[in-house]
Amino acid sequence: MFLIFCHFNKKYSSKELYKVPSPKKFQPAPSILKRIFQAQEAAASTGISKDLCYVKELGVRGNILRLLPDQGSFFYSENLSHAPCLQKLLSFNLSAIGDEEQLTMAQLGLDLGPSTYYNLGPELELSLSLVQTEPHGTDQSTLKMRKMFTLQSVPWPQGVLHFNLLDAAKRNNDPRKNLALFLEIVVKGGRASGENFQLEGTCARLRRSLHTSLLVVTLHPEQCQSPSRKRRAAVSTSKAACKSLCHRHQLFINFRDLGWHKWIIAPKGFMANYCHGECPFSLTISLNSSNYAFMQALMHAVDPEVPQAVCIPTKLSPISMLYQDNDDNVILRHYEDMIVDECGCG
């Protein structure tokens, strides 16, 4: 394994892999992230060059996608006859986003359940507001919430709704604070007599069906820079004069063998490969070597204390991974320099 992982020499690439998360429970991949992951996998298998720093399905730049669960709670009133149909504090922990990441998308998803819930019910209206809460307010009875302004109102809400919260998320400058929102659904135009029983049933179904999440896309600038080093021409394995010479060897890394299947949803593993073999001076040029490797081999012939050139990767490619972190956030991101495509002497 060391032959592969010693090549992760970029700090921004390796630090995430060293911090192996331990999610509380393993959950299936959300459909939106699964579709994007499968599209990236399909493009890679056909050899199509795909910009992994652009999310085509969402139309935004980015290479890290996170689906953050809602950590908020419902508000209940004892006076049901005059209470709103539904009130809920939505809370999303943005602390997982690194300081070096640029936020390019923050989309709130509200799933209110099947539309048939509302066909025979009263006319409702949904409002979504940005709020501020006390830093350590966790208990509903002591939570202090200050409403800042209403982001959007939706008459007759039903089905799945999406809200663009990019500006609101960018205002959240302190990463220790959650993005807090107040969701309220009220009866439009007041309640008519005899509607209370039907309304209570509708509101109860809404609370049971409501599912909220925040899809966040960020761009890591260092990972999305164009490679400055020019790739050298490849020398295929079949042209190697001897099996002992420097060339690429197959190595499949199974995440279950590493115990990483507990946090990686997909893929189950990948063909990482590795480089191994001799770099004799007589064949240094033909073994996809750099000019420096040639000079080093030349000096080794003159002075044996100078080490020989070694067999190293000369071309690497990324993979995409779908996984969970310690906060049970589901993340889709690509990692550079994970697959050895070509080898040479250096």
Side-chain angles (χ1 to χ4, degrees):
M1 292 302 175
F2 177 75
L3 289 173
I4 293 299
F5 289 104
C6 66
H7 297 309
F8 298 138
N9 55 358
K10 296 180 182 178
K11 183 178 180 182
Y12 61 80
S13 298
S14 61
K15 67 178 181 180
E16 295 292 337
L17 291 176
Y18 290 147
K19 297 178 182 178
V20 175
S22 300
K24 299 178 183 64
K25 60 179 180 178
F26 194 80
Q27 56 190 17
S31 57
I32 177 66
L33 296 186
K34 189 174 182 179
R35 287 198 304 271
I36 296 173
F37 173 80
Q38 290 174 341
Q40 292 179 349
E41 287 283 279
S45 64
T46 56
I48 299 175
S49 179
K50 185 177 177 66
D51 183 1
L52 293 179
C53 292
Y54 177 74
V55 188
K56 181 180 178 182
E57 293 78 3
L58 301 176
V60 296
R61 295 283 294 166
N63 64 321
I64 306 173
L65 289 78
R66 297 179 175 91
L67 195 70
L68 309 182
D70 173 25
Q71 300 176 351
S73 56
F74 285 99
F75 289 90
Y76 296 94
S77 175
E78 296 180 359
N79 189 352
L80 296 178
S81 60
H82 298 286
C85 183
L86 180 151
Q87 286 184 319
K88 189 177 193 299
L89 173 68
L90 310 182
S91 180
F92 300 99
N93 185 0
L94 303 181
S95 62
I97 301 174
D99 295 336
E100 68 282 2
E101 298 176 40
Q102 299 173 1
L103 192 63
T104 60
M105 180 177 179
Q107 184 184 78
L108 174 67
L110 297 180
D111 188 348
L112 302 176
S115 300
T116 52
Y117 281 1
Y118 321 105
N119 289 345
L120 301 177
E123 186 175 356
L124 304 175
E125 184 169 8
L126 178 150
S127 68
L128 184 68
S129 304
L130 185 65
V131 297
Q132 283 185 340
T133 58
E134 292 297 326
H136 302 290
T138 56
D139 184 74
Q140 177 182 309
S141 60
T142 61
L143 182 66
K144 293 182 180 179
M145 183 176 63
R146 183 168 66 89
K147 188 173 179 180
M148 297 176 67
F149 55 87
T150 301
L151 295 171
Q152 197 165 347
S153 295
V154 180
W156 200 259
Q158 54 183 303
V160 180
L161 303 174
H162 294 105
F163 301 88
N164 181 2
L165 299 183
L166 182 59
D167 291 339
K170 284 183 175 180
R171 291 193 191 100
N172 193 74
N173 295 325
D174 187 349
R176 294 169 296 180
K177 290 184 178 180
N178 291 352
L179 175 63
L181 306 159
F182 183 63
L183 173 66
E184 186 174 45
I185 298 179
V186 299
V187 179
K188 191 174 181 181
R191 302 186 181 186
S193 58
E195 277 190 348
N196 279 344
F197 178 78
Q198 185 180 17
L199 178 62
E200 288 174 13
T202 300
C203 296
R205 286 192 294 268
L206 267 175
R207 286 190 288 268
R208 287 195 301 266
S209 302
L210 179 66
H211 178 75
T212 58
S213 61
L214 185 69
L215 178 61
V216 175
V217 182
T218 61
L219 180 72
H220 197 305
E222 290 185 25
Q223 289 185 344
C224 291
Q225 291 178 349
S226 299
S228 57
R229 183 166 62 88
K230 200 173 182 181
R231 301 295 189 188
R232 295 185 292 274
V235 174
S236 64
T237 305
S238 61
K239 292 184 179 180
C242 177
K243 290 184 178 180
S244 64
L245 296 181
C246 174
H247 68 278
R248 185 185 66 179
H249 300 256
Q250 287 191 343
L251 172 64
F252 182 80
I253 293 182
N254 189 321
F255 289 137
R256 181 170 289 274
D257 294 340
L258 301 176
W260 287 12
H261 65 290
K262 298 176 182 178
W263 58 280
I264 296 178
I265 300 173
K268 303 301 182 184
F270 69 104
M271 188 64 73
N273 304 322
Y274 68 96
C275 297
H276 184 68
E278 300 174 1
C279 292
F281 169 68
S282 59
L283 294 175
T284 301
I285 297 178
S286 62
L287 289 176
N288 196 23
S289 304
S290 64
N291 291 332
Y292 177 81
F294 171 74
M295 296 304 298
Q296 182 178 348
L298 192 63
M299 284 301 300
H300 175 77
V302 175
D303 182 2
E305 291 189 4
V306 177
Q308 284 186 327
V310 294
C311 186
I312 60 173
T314 57
K315 184 179 180 181
L316 298 138
S317 57
I319 66 168
S320 296
M321 291 202 310
L322 190 61
Y323 64 94
Q324 291 177 246
D325 66 7
N326 289 325
D327 297 318
D328 290 332
N329 301 322
V330 180
I331 304 171
L332 172 60
R333 70 179 298 174
H334 78 271
Y335 288 88
E336 296 288 345
D337 301 342
M338 293 286 283
I339 299 175
V340 175
D341 295 322
E342 299 170 8
C343 300
C345 296

